[in-house]
Short mmCIF file of all heavy atoms in Angstrom, two decimals:
data_model
loop_
_atom_site.label_atom_id
_atom_site.label_comp_id
_atom_site.label_asym_id
_atom_site.label_seq_id
_atom_site.Cartn_x
_atom_site.Cartn_y
_atom_site.Cartn_z
N LEU B 61 1.53 -13.75 -45.01
CA LEU B 61 1.95 -14.79 -44.08
C LEU B 61 3.47 -14.87 -44.01
O LEU B 61 4.05 -15.06 -42.95
CB LEU B 61 1.37 -16.14 -44.50
CG LEU B 61 -0.16 -16.18 -44.45
CD1 LEU B 61 -0.66 -17.53 -44.91
CD2 LEU B 61 -0.65 -15.86 -43.06
N ALA B 62 4.13 -14.69 -45.18
CA ALA B 62 5.58 -14.74 -45.18
C ALA B 62 6.13 -13.61 -44.33
O ALA B 62 7.07 -13.78 -43.56
CB ALA B 62 6.11 -14.64 -46.60
N VAL B 63 5.52 -12.46 -44.45
CA VAL B 63 5.98 -11.32 -43.66
C VAL B 63 5.78 -11.61 -42.18
O VAL B 63 6.63 -11.37 -41.34
CB VAL B 63 5.21 -10.04 -44.07
CG1 VAL B 63 5.50 -8.91 -43.10
CG2 VAL B 63 5.62 -9.63 -45.49
N MET B 64 4.62 -12.19 -41.88
CA MET B 64 4.33 -12.49 -40.48
C MET B 64 5.31 -13.47 -39.89
O MET B 64 5.72 -13.35 -38.74
CB MET B 64 2.92 -13.05 -40.35
CG MET B 64 1.85 -12.00 -40.51
SD MET B 64 0.26 -12.77 -40.71
CE MET B 64 0.06 -13.46 -39.09
N ALA B 65 5.67 -14.46 -40.69
CA ALA B 65 6.56 -15.48 -40.17
C ALA B 65 7.99 -14.96 -40.08
O ALA B 65 8.84 -15.57 -39.44
CB ALA B 65 6.50 -16.71 -41.05
N GLY B 66 8.26 -13.86 -40.73
CA GLY B 66 9.58 -13.26 -40.69
C GLY B 66 10.62 -14.13 -41.35
O GLY B 66 11.81 -14.08 -41.02
N CYS B 67 10.21 -14.98 -42.28
CA CYS B 67 11.16 -15.90 -42.87
C CYS B 67 11.66 -15.36 -44.20
O CYS B 67 10.92 -14.77 -44.97
CB CYS B 67 10.52 -17.27 -43.09
SG CYS B 67 9.10 -17.21 -44.15
N GLY B 68 12.94 -15.59 -44.46
CA GLY B 68 13.51 -15.27 -45.77
C GLY B 68 13.50 -13.79 -46.07
O GLY B 68 13.20 -12.96 -45.21
N GLY B 69 13.83 -13.44 -47.27
CA GLY B 69 13.87 -12.04 -47.68
C GLY B 69 12.74 -11.74 -48.62
O GLY B 69 11.74 -12.44 -48.67
N GLY B 70 12.90 -10.68 -49.40
CA GLY B 70 11.87 -10.25 -50.34
C GLY B 70 11.59 -11.31 -51.38
O GLY B 70 10.47 -11.46 -51.84
N GLU B 71 12.62 -12.05 -51.70
CA GLU B 71 12.49 -13.07 -52.75
C GLU B 71 11.45 -14.11 -52.33
O GLU B 71 10.52 -14.42 -53.07
CB GLU B 71 13.86 -13.72 -52.94
CG GLU B 71 13.93 -14.82 -53.97
CD GLU B 71 15.21 -15.63 -53.76
OE1 GLU B 71 16.22 -15.06 -53.29
OE2 GLU B 71 15.19 -16.83 -54.05
N GLN B 72 11.58 -14.57 -51.08
CA GLN B 72 10.65 -15.58 -50.61
C GLN B 72 9.24 -15.00 -50.42
O GLN B 72 8.26 -15.63 -50.74
CB GLN B 72 11.14 -16.14 -49.28
CG GLN B 72 11.26 -17.64 -49.31
CD GLN B 72 11.81 -18.13 -48.00
OE1 GLN B 72 12.57 -17.44 -47.34
NE2 GLN B 72 11.42 -19.32 -47.61
N ALA B 73 9.25 -13.78 -49.91
CA ALA B 73 7.97 -13.16 -49.61
C ALA B 73 7.13 -12.98 -50.86
O ALA B 73 5.91 -12.98 -50.80
CB ALA B 73 8.19 -11.81 -48.93
N SER B 74 7.80 -12.80 -51.99
CA SER B 74 7.04 -12.58 -53.21
C SER B 74 6.60 -13.89 -53.86
O SER B 74 5.92 -13.89 -54.87
CB SER B 74 7.88 -11.76 -54.19
OG SER B 74 9.03 -12.50 -54.53
#
Side-chain angles (χ1 to χ4, degrees):
Chain B
L61 296 179
V63 170
M64 286 167 68
C67 59
E71 179 196 330
Q72 234 177 329
S74 63

